[in-house]
Amino acid sequence: MRRTQQGTSYIGILLVIIAAAFMVKVLVAIWSPYWDNHVINTQIEELMVIAPNNTSPAQFKTDLVRRLTINNIHNVKADDFVRVSNADGLHVQTNYEVRKPFLLNIDLVLKFEKSFDKNSIKN
């Protein structure tokens, strides 16, 4: 009978390190687009709170582009993913994809969609 205690083998430790490195790589790859989306949504909500009800879609987009530039959001262009209408109150829709290279020829595709309505946003 054995009297010494055996621990994890070198291969087991190596596999844990590889798995942890893979998870860190995934987090690093997707953190930036999710943070940018959070900033975009926050800026749209703040702009909708302060914008008057008769704001034109062009003026709203101009103000949004200025706010996104100030917040260093350059990966996506507001003209490509924001649709603004002012038929029954200010309504904004965002719909875009971000493609990030991940590993060799594997890309991560993140899709973001959200709809904002001035009447439903609390002041």
Side-chain angles (χ1 to χ4, degrees), residues 9-23:
S9 67
Y10 289 118
I11 293 175
I13 293 172
L14 183 63
L15 290 176
V16 168
I17 291 172
I18 290 171
F22 183 78
M23 292 304 295

Side-chain angles (χ1 to χ4, degrees), residues 24-37:
V24 167
K25 182 163 178 59
V26 169
L27 288 174
V28 167
I30 67 173
W31 175 256
S32 176
Y34 273 105
W35 181 254
D36 288 351
N37 183 56

Side-chain angles (χ1 to χ4, degrees), residues 49-76:
V49 167
I50 64 170
N53 289 337
N54 59 355
T55 301
S56 69
Q59 179 62 39
F60 187 86
K61 276 188 179 181
T62 302
D63 293 342
L64 181 62
V65 167
R66 185 175 37 104
R67 283 174 168 252
L68 294 180
T69 302
I70 289 170
N71 284 294
N72 202 25
I73 305 294
H74 299 289
N75 298 337
V76 290

